[in-house]
Amino acid sequence: MELTIDGYTKILGIIGDPVEHSKSPVLHNYISTCKNINAVYVPFKVSPDNLSHAVNGLRSLDVVGFNVTVPHKNNVMQYLDGVSEEAALIGAVNAVKNIGGKLWGYNTDGDGFLRSFREETGNSFLNKSAVIIGAGGAAKAIAVKAAIEGVRSMIILNRTVDRAKELSCYINEKIANCCAFAGMEHIDVENAVMGCEIVINTTSVGMYPKTDKSPIEAYSLLNDKHTVYDIIYNPEKTELLKSAEEKGSKAVNGLGMLFYQGIYAYEKWMDIKLSEDEIAKFYTKFKEIIQK
Ligand code: ATR
């Protein structure tokens, strides 16, 4: 099916800075084409100084919805008309929907992560012990989800210990008293990895182009009982995932998180529910496109 833009075409997009690397336009335009939905999804590079103008402009232009990426996921909230309970809890919005001229913010990163984690690792958080590396926005979305899902214990490890402490206290106060924190000293990392079943990297360490880096070096402690999830998907296998696999751990990258957050956003914008078959087909195609 060809994409034809006419007077009825619905506008979707993504605001971020940088935005050129985003895979979302490819995903959403592919879905619209397959579903024969008259919509187009475009990247909008928006600097922090222009964020309020951009959001008000998108509202004025009556776009159907848009994604929000780095560095605007927190700051965008003040310019919206409301946010979902989950977005408020995570403190970040990655998808906005225009409902009758009002802009509503959602967070589909957490749900996207959870679905990918469940399906692709075959594991769950219920009564498990997890280590989260990093304490930024991605870590918060994942830690909130893990806590809601009933993780038994969770340790946040971060280079800047104060941020790990802040996130850990937030989880303990707002969701469940399950969270500890530490820095990235060798001994802290070793103790945390040794005592856990799930390791999740939420930092950018190991991402292209610095692919020789790894957020932790405690590989010797990984074994076939561990599940290791790295939110990085470029490269397909980070040093962390390669080492985890060598040690027999279940190792999964973050492509599924990216894909499913997009699926959930698309369903919200268009008020549709995609079938499991469609989602599986889109995921196969998405992987093909990304890995080209
Ligand atoms: P995001 O919203 O994508 O999570 P972020 O809020 O900037 O981005 O958080 C990035 C995370 O990666 C932080 O935990 C950061 O550690 P600091 O809080 O100490 O900055 C971590 N991170 C980024 N680069 C890192 C590096 N070279 N070594 C260790 N941690 C790093």
Side-chain angles (χ1 to χ4, degrees):
M1 197 66 67
E2 284 282 306
L3 173 68
T4 311
I5 296 177
D6 59 21
Y8 297 95
T9 304
K10 293 173 175 167
I11 307 296
L12 297 166
I14 179 166
I15 59 171
D17 186 11
V19 79
E20 294 86 349
H21 66 286
S22 174
K23 308 294 181 203
S24 296
V26 169
L27 172 66
H28 293 293
N29 287 321
Y30 176 70
I31 299 174
S32 294
T33 308
C34 289
K35 296 285 292 173
N36 202 14
I37 290 175
N38 188 355
V40 65
Y41 183 110
V42 287
F44 296 113
K45 183 167 175 173
V46 175
S47 69
D49 286 349
N50 284 324
L51 182 59
S52 68
H53 301 301
V55 173
N56 289 326
L58 289 165
R59 186 192 280 107
S60 306
L61 293 170
D62 202 31
V63 302
V64 168
F66 55 95
N67 279 126
V68 183
T69 190
V70 178
H72 305 314
K73 287 186 183 188
N74 307 109
N75 288 339
V76 75
M77 294 170 81
Q78 62 192 303
Y79 305 119
L80 304 177
D81 298 296
V83 302
S84 71
E85 209 177 309
E86 179 138 317
L89 197 55
I90 293 172
V93 159
N94 75 304
V96 175
K97 178 175 173 154
N98 180 346
I99 304 175
K102 302 260 186 232
L103 296 182
W104 297 100
Y106 301 90
N107 189 303
T108 66
D109 284 334
D111 280 336
F113 162 75
L114 195 59
R115 175 146 180 194
S116 165
F117 181 83
R118 278 200 195 122
E119 283 187 5
E120 297 178 277
T121 71
N123 207 341
S124 76
F125 285 101
L126 186 63
N127 290 324
K128 301 281 168 49
S129 52
V131 167
I132 308 233
I133 307 163
K140 193 169 182 183
I142 289 170
V144 163
K145 276 301 190 187
I148 291 173
E149 289 295 298
V151 76
R152 186 180 73 247
S153 64
M154 185 157 58
I155 302 178
I156 312 280
L157 298 178
N158 197 46
R159 176 178 63 180
T160 311
V161 187
D162 280 352
R163 286 186 90 190
K165 182 179 179 184
E166 196 183 318
L167 178 53
S168 167
C169 291
Y170 183 82
I171 297 290
N172 290 338
E173 278 166 25
K174 297 277 182 188
I175 307 172
N177 197 6
C178 61
C179 203
F181 67 92
M184 297 290 289
E185 297 297 325
H186 205 66
I187 185 78
D188 295 325
V189 176
E190 278 197 357
N191 285 337
V193 171
M194 209 147 44
C196 80
E197 296 152 287
I198 297 167
V199 176
I200 302 169
N201 175 43
T202 72
T203 75
S204 53
V205 183
M207 189 162 79
Y208 180 84
K210 294 183 182 166
T211 55
D212 58 331
K213 299 273 187 293
S214 178
I216 57 168
E217 301 293 340
Y219 300 137
S220 58
L221 300 168
L222 291 173
N223 58 45
D224 61 1
K225 306 276 183 304
H226 283 102
T227 292
V228 180
Y229 191 103
D230 195 331
I231 69 164
I232 296 170
Y233 55 85
N234 182 16
E236 198 184 334
K237 273 186 201 164
T238 56
E239 283 302 308
L240 173 64
L241 291 183
K242 277 190 223 163
S243 306
E245 242 174 35
E246 276 164 24
K247 298 286 171 189
S249 310
K250 182 85 193 162
V252 172
N253 75 17
L255 194 62
M257 178 176 177
L258 174 69
F259 174 76
Y260 286 116
Q261 66 75 27
I263 291 292
Y264 290 136
Y266 195 90
E267 287 183 333
K268 274 193 201 310
W269 292 326
M270 297 300 171
D271 277 322
I272 56 170
K273 187 96 186 85
L274 297 167
S275 73
E276 292 304 309
D277 284 352
E278 282 174 317
I279 292 174
K281 183 181 112 188
F282 295 154
Y283 196 11
T284 304
K285 183 70 184 175
F286 185 57
K287 280 183 198 158
E288 262 174 48
I289 293 167
I290 296 291
Q291 281 152 13
K292 239 187 229 166

